[in-house]
Amino acid sequence: QEQITAPFLYWNFDHDNVERDSIGSGILKTNKCKFAITDGPVGKAMDLNGSDCLVYTSALKKNVGEEFTVEFLFRGTDFTFLT
């Protein structure tokens, strides 16, 4: 059975405070690395400068019960996802 739910966090990088998600409850943090916002084929994206750039959030802690889905649109040479 298919279950469709609305997202509770969504970053589209389309407003002044790009670290805050468009719904308003989550913040992306970096390890002080520089990044730029770039236009992609279907929206905007975070362009991370440097291979030591770390992006993280604790916003999932208060919203996730037992199951969740994460979707990344990623282009690059190195990606690590930690839980």
Side-chain angles (χ1 to χ4, degrees):
Q1 178 175 332
E2 184 177 330
Q3 181 181 5
I4 299 172
T5 59
F8 55 84
L9 297 170
Y10 186 79
W11 283 272
N12 60 8
F13 310 110
D14 206 19
H15 43 85
D16 291 339
N17 185 358
V18 296
E19 292 95 351
R20 184 171 294 282
D21 77 299
S22 61
I23 297 171
S25 61
I27 296 178
L28 289 178
K29 299 176 185 172
T30 67
N31 60 334
K32 305 295 183 196
C33 64
K34 294 185 178 190
F35 65 89
I37 300 302
T38 184
D39 288 324
V42 293
K44 295 186 179 181
M46 222 177 175
D47 185 359
L48 305 174
N49 299 318
S51 61
D52 62 344
C53 196
L54 174 67
V55 178
Y56 59 96
T57 185
S58 61
L60 295 174
K61 288 183 179 180
K62 64 182 176 184
N63 293 309
V64 173
E66 299 201 6
E67 296 181 356
F68 67 96
T69 301
V70 177
E71 178 180 275
F72 293 99
L73 301 177
F74 176 76
R75 179 181 63 195
T77 58
D78 189 21
F79 179 80
T80 304
F81 176 69
L82 302 172
T83 59

